[in-house]
Every structure is written in structure tokens, then in C-alpha cells.
Amino acid sequence: VLLPVKKSVVCCRIEEFGPVFIQEPDDVIFPLDSDEKKVVMHCEARGNPPPTYSWYINGTEVDAEADYRYSFIDGNLIITNASEVTDYGKYQCKAENSFGTVLSRDGTLQFAYLGAFSGKARGGVSVREGQGVVLMCTPPPHSPEIIYSWVFNEFPSFVAEDSRRFISQDTGNLYISKVQPSDVGSYICLVKNTVTNARVLSPPTPLTLKTDGVMGEYEPKIEVHFPTSVLAAKGVTVRLECFALGNPVPTITWRKINGNIPKKARLRKSQAVLEIPNIQLEDSGTYECKAENPRGGTAFKGHLQVYTLPQWVRMINDTQMDSGEKLQWECKATGRPRPTYRWLRNVMMFLYSFLASPKPRIAWKRGDRRIQPNKRIMLLRNNTLRIVNASRADEGNYVCRAENQLGSAELTAILWVKEAMRVELTPARVEVTVGESVVLSCKATHDTSLDVAFQWFFNQKPINFQQDGGHFEYIQTSSTVDLMIRSILLKHAGKYGCRAQTSADTVFTEAELLVRGPPGPPGVVIVEEITDTTATLSWTRGLDNHSPISTYNVQARSPFSLGWQTVKTDPVTGDMESAIAVELNPWVEYEFRVVATNAIGTGDPSAPSRAVRTKEAVPSVAPANVSGGNGRRHELVISWEPVSEEFQNGEGFGYIVAFRANGTRGWKEKMVTSADSTTYKYRDETFPPLTPFEVKVGVYNNKGDGPFSSVVVIHSAEGEPREAPSDVRAYSISSSEIRVTWKPPNPEPGRPRGYEVSYWKDMEQEESGKKQRTVKNETSMVLTGLEGNSLYRITVKAFNSIGHGPATAAVTAKTRKTPPAQPPANLIWIQEGNNVSLSWDPVKAKDNESDVIGYMVSSLPFTAVTRTINPSTVLSLPEGGTYIIEVRALSEGGDGAVSSQIRLVTSSGTHKAVFFFVEILCSALN
């Protein structure tokens, strides 16, 4: 037996003892894609003689000789090329020697992996605007948990979660309560493994809108909810989801049946998630989430049951009895649900006394001398020898002798006394800020002949270095071990313990880590009093996280705000727990919450208060942008921008339209009872067009009349034009065109916005004629598509939005005769080089055709045009081209018919004179 100096020692057969665990198997999650191909399950025990080890997988003993993948190093189990199929399960270590056997707790081996999504294309989803939709993720095989998010159109544009959109971390599905046109696009589910951080993307799911109409309003339907029965371990964080489809978008509220929601609870994701940290027994109960919109509401209830691990209240002790005596052992444990009990025999066995019957007499001696009890060396009632403040002088052999009438037996125990181990943990108390890192150093001073083992604890529980998200790192030298805590979070505040253990003694010491961070959320906000423009609020103080709260900000939201907005209050210091929100709008429904700030930053907001509506008041906002004009004859049209519902201040809201003609005294007032109205028309045939009016528009509700807008001047409708245009003239341009010009009428009410020209043939009725309008206020027009050699009658009238003015007296104009229908014939041409001499027979016009006044010769694609009064001409064509020559007669009635075409080719060099009749060329071309 090894004992530290100055420690008490109890001796009785202590040179040999059964196994005691120093380290038992932990839960292990092994990434399948890890470069390290070995899994290590740890186990270590002390005992004398040293124990041997064996391992069990799911209750079956590991046979290292039969499977090369398994090997033992000391008490540890090494698994090479681990496989989820064969190696997943619960592992137990058994340590045994000649004095006993101990069986460890279970350690579960899991494997972390993330498969790929199916490559099969996903079908599109088509819904109406305003309808709700659920997009399925259908994740690939994975272990352990995964985190879900959704990509919109292309990575890394992620879907933002709000009151309308929600991603369930239970199913991975994306829920949109009310689809908008902006939601149209391609959606991709992204999953991330929480251990390996590997990520994979699903095939895209297109979302489109149907074109057969818009979805009307409908009551909420809860699509996401927590189970009807939730079982959670004490101390964990419970996360309950609740989300509904509906139009308008539903509001989610939570309550606890027959109790209050814990103050520590948090509402996340627009109240779709209720999060309860560090759950305790008193948090058990039935929780309800309710989804409501103006069309109705629905609710879901589920029961949360908190359980605690068993804790021993009464345990059994080693007992020695005579043969034939009655034995009664009682063990008792607490826990919820109530623990069940199981008795095991020979699982742990220590032989620390003699077995004899009848009961023997016990005596102790050191060497040959019987030990005489004194203040420092005592013989206890159970015959155990106790030595207080042992020193090196006490080292040696101690003999325990047992004797009865049937015989005697002796047992020797060897006592070694070692220097007591001292452990220093530095720093003993440290304060850090969220996000910083710190190192705790544990140094043991001990007898150099002994090995020391260390273990770190957080709030009395062993630290699992594999499962804490990389925040903890373990660094050990021979007699010192450091604990590095990286990127510290608020949850890392607490007591950190270092346990140093040798075969002689165990020393445990603790250090305190305080984490400064932004304040925790204040307690629930209560609206104690409400007026038309103010709200008196109170709340309970939240955690300051070791940095005093300096200020509180009060925030509010309403159906008219873009999310939460800071509202005006008097300064609210950190020692206050109430405030008055001012400058609120009357008759508006508000929710309030409070946010605390300290030197580190601003914390999470409190849970929202219940929704309350401010009292009614007389309207205080007048309509904006009062204007008007246009309309029909004798109408005064008045328009304005409607006052938002946010500023109507009460029920029975409407408008008062007041107007009077310039220069008059009394105002005419008309009531407009619809809050959505934007215009008012007043008709009175006694006032002339474009009469100026002074106009103002006011507001009212059931509480009284509010302010009027500023006075503006608006003219009544102008009426149609009263005068006809003047100086109308018309003359022929060709056989199918006549140009008409005129002068506008004198300026007056009824100003023209354009002109309409009517025209008809002299021998026809005006009603059978045609009409043509100008573009804007042009004062000329060309009439086209007319018949040749015909007399036309023409009138002009002005028009505007009200109607037409009077027409002018009809003027006449005759179109010219049509151009000659006979084309030039018998074309003859002589080509010398690039010069061409061309002649043709003259064209003679018929009596009903315009006289010929010349000819036009064109060559294509050469754009030159030659005009001549004679039936011949000379053309000079550029070199190196092919040209088409054609001729037509010119007349006052327009261009005559075109002749047959001549095709010519020009090139460099000298050409002989060539004579051709055009008919020969034409026949060859045909």
C-alpha cells in the first residue's frame, strides 16, 4: 500500500486489492473519412496484482486472436479499419485480478459520415400566389446530426428565415406560409455534418406561380410541430418547433398550460422556435403553440417530461457475517422516472477481511511486537487498523492475526509512505470576454517514484474533448497538464476542476472561470398601462454576464413597421426595470420587447409582450398631395393620397372635402366615408370651364375632426373647343395626295389637344368620308390613298379630352391626273467602255393621264438617277460592276410605269460598239 506522508492510513490485508477504474470508455464519434484509420477505446484500472483486461461489443467478448483488426495496448482496445457495419455499438471493458472483477460503464462507438443526395432531377412545384408550400429536403444517409439550410437560385445566396419562411431542423424541409412573386426561382437543400463539417447539395427544385389566379385568404394550418410527448434529460436545451401556412401570414404565440413559460426561455426564428436552456424538473408540463391570422386560428399541444439520471441515496457496504446469519442489504436511488433496480453478484469483489466462523479474535502486530493503540494508532470496531498522520517511520510489515477455537490465520500487509502530492491550478480565478481564449495550468508535485494521471472536470463532470465542438484542448507534460479553452462562449463559465491521481493518493482542486459577454435577454415585458400615444412597460432584469448593464432599449413592432423598431423613451439606465414608450400612433396594435446593453455589446431581446392596441384619438395627419383637374364639362375633380391605416387613429375614419370658387367666402364641405377613397367629383353646370377653386381635404373619425391639408388651387374641367380653325388651305401634291394646312383657333378655355381632318369625294355624302387625326398640335396634314383626277371636300375641327369643337367650312382640292400607264418602249443602248448611250420611244399620255414632262433613268445598285426631257441620254457607269438600267416617264400626277430592264457589265479595257434592242435582251434573260 502506498500512502502520502501525514495522511491517515487504514490497514487490514492491504497489500493486495481488487481492480478500481481510473479511466472508463467514453462515447466516441469516428469520422469515416478521417486520415487516422484507427479507433481507440480507452480503459485503465489499478489493482494489486495488476489487472488483466477484456472487452465486450454489444455483450459479445472481443476475440483479438480471431480478428486481426482488434488489438490490446495496456487496457485500451485498438480497432484498425473500423467499419460502421461491424463495429457500431456499445463497448464495455472488464478488469480482473485474483481479488475481484469490475465491469465498466458503456461507451458507444458511432461513425460520422454524410452521403450524397440522389442525382435524380427533382420535379418542379407550382402554386398560386398567396398559397402556402412545403419544399422537401429528403436528406442523404448521415450520422450523427446534420444542420439544414436552403440555397436560393445559386450558392451562396441562402434563404432568409422570417415570419413567412421557416427551415425545420427536424425534417430539413423549407416551409413558405404565403408564396409571393419574389419567391419564384430554384431551391437547393444544403446539409452539413456537425462532426466532419462536410457539406452536400441537393438537386434543384424549381418553384413557379400558376397563372389561373391568386389564392384568397385562408385560416392557418400548422405544418411543423413538436411531438405530442417530449422526453428530455435535466440540464439539456430543449428546442420546440411550430410553424403554420396561411394567408395572411400567421402569427405564432406560445403558452404553458397551467403555468408560465420559464423566464430563461428564448423565442427564435420569428417565434417559430421555443428554446428552453438548462431544463429543470419544474419546466415539465404541457406547452401550446397557436397560429393566428385574421381568418382564424389553430393550436397544437404537447407534453414535455424532464427526466433525471439515478443518484444513490443509500448504498450497500462490505459486510462480514457468521454462517447461518440473516443478511439484509438495502440500496436506494432517486431519479425521474422512478429508477428500477437490478442486483449483480461477483461483478465487483474485494477480499480489503477474514472469512471465519465462529467469529474470530483479531490482533495486529508490527514485526514481532503487538501493536498497542494510542492517540495516533487506533483499532476500529470492525478490527481495522487506523494510523493517523503517517510518516516514513511507519513504513514496514503489518501482520493481522485471526484466531478462533478451530484455528488461526495471519495476513501480512506492507505499508510504504510517500510524500503527499500537491496540486496547483493557475489561475485560480480568471475573467475573460466572449470570443477570447484562456489556458488553465494544472501542476502536480509528487513523489518521483509514482506516476501521475490527470483528468479535467467542468462543473463536476468530466470534460469530453471529442464532443465539445473544438473549444477544449488537452496539453500534457510529465507533471503538468494544460487546458486550453478557445473562442469562449457564455456557457463555458463555471468551475474547472483538475484531478491528479497516483497509486498513493488523489488530489482535486478547482478554478473559477467568469465569462463576460453581452447581457442575457430581460424577462418577459408587461404592458402595465396604455394610452393613445404612450405605453408604460416593465420587465425583470436578465443576466448581466459579469459586465454591468448600462442601458436598455425598448423596441416595438406593428403591422405597419418593417420588423422591430426602437421607440422613443426617456433614457433607461441599467438599474431601471420600467419605461414609458412615447410618440406611438393611436389605434395601432403593438408588441414590445427590451434589449439590454453593456460594455461588451448588446444581448438578445426579451420575449415579446402580448399585443396591445393604443387608445383611439382624433386624426392628426392630413391627406398629402391634394390635386385635381380634368374631368367632364362642369366637373370639379379633386384627388389626394389616402392616409395610411397607421395614422387613422380610430374607427369610422373618412375624409372632409372642402372647396370654394376663388373670391367667394363660404366653403362647401362634402363627407367621403370610405377610408380608401382617393377622389371626389363635384358637378355644377353654373360655373364656366377652367374656373379656379380653392380646395383642401381634411380627416375625421369617431373621436372627432382632424386637420385639413394646405389649400391648393384646382381648375374645373375646361370643356371642348369652342372655335374652328381658320385659313384652311388644300392643294394637290400628286394623283393620290392632297396637303391640307390651317391656323389654330384663338386661345380660350377648351384648348385643342389635336385636330381631326374629314374628307370625302365631291359627289359623296360627308358621312361616308374618312377622318384622320394629327399627332399632337400639328397644323398640317398630307391626305394619302386618294383617287386620281378627283375633287375632294375637306373640313378641319379641333378636339380635346372633353370632345370636338365646330368644323371649318369645307374647302375643295382636286387630285392630279394619274401618271401614264404606258412604260417607255424599244430601249436601244450602245456601250463603249463604261459609257452607255440609251434611247427609247417617247411616251404619249392619254386624255385621262397627266402630261409627260420628262423621263427618269436609274441604274441599280449604282444609285445615280438621271432626269431628261428628251427620250435619250448618255450614262457613265463605274468600272467593274453589273448594273440594271430602267426608265420611267415623269408627270405632275407622279411617276409612270417602269420600262423593261437592261443588264450591263462594265470592266477595264476597250469595247467595240454593240447595238441591241431591249426585247432581245429580255428574251435571253427569260
Side-chain angles (χ1 to χ4, degrees), residues 115-187:
F117 279 95
S118 168
K120 183 179 179 181
R122 298 191 172 189
V125 177
S126 184
V127 296
R128 294 186 181 92
E129 181 181 348
Q131 187 176 353
V133 71
V134 181
L135 301 183
M136 313 296 286
C137 179
T138 315
H142 61 272
S143 177
E145 296 81 8
I146 54 179
I147 298 173
Y148 298 90
S149 55
W150 281 79
V151 176
F152 182 51
N153 286 335
E154 61 182 13
F155 186 85
S157 175
F158 287 94
V159 173
E161 295 182 80
D162 50 27
S163 61
R164 197 172 59 83
R165 295 170 292 192
F166 177 71
I167 299 171
S168 170
Q169 292 303 317
D170 289 335
T171 66
N173 298 336
L174 169 62
Y175 300 82
I176 305 178
S177 63
K178 173 187 173 183
V179 174
Q180 299 177 351
S182 60
D183 296 323
V184 170
S186 178
Y187 290 82

Side-chain angles (χ1 to χ4, degrees), residues 441-594:
S441 183
C442 182
K443 182 178 181 181
T445 304
H446 60 95
D447 192 292
T448 56
S449 66
L450 302 178
D451 293 328
V452 62
F454 295 93
Q455 189 172 14
W456 282 99
F457 293 80
F458 175 46
N459 291 335
Q460 306 294 322
K461 294 182 180 179
I463 294 176
N464 188 325
F465 288 88
Q466 294 180 332
Q467 292 184 349
D468 198 68
H471 289 284
F472 293 134
E473 182 178 350
Y474 185 100
I475 306 169
Q476 182 173 0
T477 59
S478 58
S479 296
T480 304
V481 62
D482 291 342
L483 174 65
M484 173 173 281
I485 312 173
R486 305 177 187 273
S487 304
I488 287 175
L489 306 175
L490 287 172
K491 69 178 183 178
H492 293 141
K495 290 189 175 181
Y496 287 81
C498 173
R499 185 177 73 183
Q501 185 174 21
T502 67
S503 55
D505 60 350
T506 299
V507 179
F508 181 82
T509 184
E510 285 186 313
E512 186 176 14
L513 176 64
L514 300 179
V515 181
R516 294 185 299 264
V524 65
V525 178
I526 297 174
V527 182
E528 296 184 343
E529 184 179 355
I530 195 80
T531 69
D532 56 346
T533 60
T534 67
T536 302
L537 312 172
S538 66
W539 58 90
T540 55
R541 183 182 181 87
L543 298 175
D544 65 8
N545 290 326
H546 305 293
S547 178
I549 296 172
S550 55
T551 58
Y552 289 100
N553 282 328
V554 177
Q555 298 176 341
R557 71 176 174 187
S558 72
F560 313 105
S561 65
L562 295 175
W564 291 94
Q565 304 289 331
T566 298
V567 296
K568 188 174 181 180
T569 63
D570 289 334
V572 187
T573 59
D575 58 349
M576 299 171 63
E577 294 184 5
S578 64
I580 299 178
V582 298
E583 297 184 8
L584 305 177
N585 291 324
W587 199 240
V588 171
E589 192 173 75
Y590 286 98
E591 293 175 279
F592 298 95
R593 71 182 188 185
V594 179

Side-chain angles (χ1 to χ4, degrees), residues 793-919:
R793 290 184 170 277
I794 302 165
T795 63
V796 183
K797 62 177 71 172
F799 69 89
N800 60 17
S801 60
I802 308 303
H804 291 86
T808 63
V811 298
T812 60
K814 187 175 183 181
T815 54
R816 298 179 181 181
K817 293 181 180 180
T818 57
Q822 179 65 33
N826 296 328
L827 271 67
I828 301 174
W829 56 275
I830 301 174
Q831 181 176 1
E832 293 183 347
N834 294 330
N835 293 323
V836 179
S837 297
L838 185 65
S839 63
W840 57 86
D841 291 343
V843 176
K844 295 184 178 180
K846 298 179 181 178
D847 291 341
N848 63 343
E849 295 178 337
S850 296
D851 294 335
V852 175
I853 59 175
Y855 299 90
M856 180 174 67
V857 181
S858 59
S859 55
L860 301 174
F862 186 53
T863 56
V865 174
T866 302
R867 296 179 183 272
T868 178
I869 61 174
N870 299 314
S872 63
T873 189
V874 176
L875 303 177
S876 180
L877 302 176
E879 295 181 355
T882 300
Y883 299 93
I884 303 298
I885 309 297
E886 57 187 22
V887 183
R888 67 183 72 207
L890 300 176
S891 72
E892 292 183 348
D895 298 342
V898 66
S899 69
S900 299
Q901 295 180 339
I902 301 173
R903 185 173 181 270
L904 296 176
V905 178
T906 64
S907 61
S908 302
T910 304
H911 292 262
K912 294 182 179 180
V914 181
F915 295 84
F916 272 109
F917 286 102
V918 72
E919 285 80 5

Side-chain angles (χ1 to χ4, degrees), residues 278-297:
N278 189 25
I279 197 158
Q280 300 297 313
L281 294 176
E282 59 268 22
D283 299 327
S284 297
T286 300
Y287 288 78
E288 178 189 78
C289 77
K290 191 172 186 179
E292 296 177 289
N293 69 7
R295 304 295 296 181

Side-chain angles (χ1 to χ4, degrees), residues 126-279:
S126 184
V127 296
R128 294 186 181 92
E129 181 181 348
Q131 187 176 353
V133 71
V134 181
L135 301 183
M136 313 296 286
C137 179
T138 315
H142 61 272
S143 177
E145 296 81 8
I146 54 179
I147 298 173
Y148 298 90
S149 55
W150 281 79
V151 176
F152 182 51
N153 286 335
E154 61 182 13
F155 186 85
S157 175
F158 287 94
V159 173
E161 295 182 80
D162 50 27
S163 61
R164 197 172 59 83
R165 295 170 292 192
F166 177 71
I167 299 171
S168 170
Q169 292 303 317
D170 289 335
T171 66
N173 298 336
L174 169 62
Y175 300 82
I176 305 178
S177 63
K178 173 187 173 183
V179 174
Q180 299 177 351
S182 60
D183 296 323
V184 170
S186 178
Y187 290 82
I188 298 171
C189 182
L190 183 149
V191 297
K192 176 182 176 182
N193 191 294
T194 56
V195 173
T196 66
N197 289 327
R199 299 187 298 182
V200 293
L201 297 167
S202 73
T205 299
L207 177 63
T208 59
L209 287 183
K210 293 181 178 179
T211 58
D212 58 351
V214 176
M215 186 74 172
E217 294 185 352
Y218 62 96
E219 64 181 8
K221 178 184 179 184
I222 294 179
E223 286 286 344
V224 182
H225 57 74
F226 51 99
T228 56
S229 180
V230 179
L231 190 62
K234 178 182 176 183
V236 303
T237 296
V238 172
R239 188 176 182 274
L240 306 178
E241 293 185 343
C242 184
F243 189 77
L245 310 184
N247 184 5
V249 175
T251 299
I252 304 295
T253 55
W254 294 82
R255 72 184 181 112
K256 184 180 180 186
I257 308 299
N258 297 327
N260 296 322
I261 289 181
K263 293 182 179 180
K264 61 189 174 184
R266 313 279 188 271
L267 286 173
R268 310 287 193 195
K269 297 189 177 182
S270 299
Q271 306 192 141
V273 175
L274 176 65
E275 195 173 272
I276 310 175
N278 189 25
I279 197 158

Side-chain angles (χ1 to χ4, degrees), residues 341-356:
Y341 298 87
R342 184 164 61 107
W343 286 85
L344 303 175
R345 180 183 176 208
N346 288 335
V347 174
M348 185 189 304
M349 180 170 59
F350 301 102
L351 300 177
Y352 280 103
S353 61
F354 289 95
L355 300 180

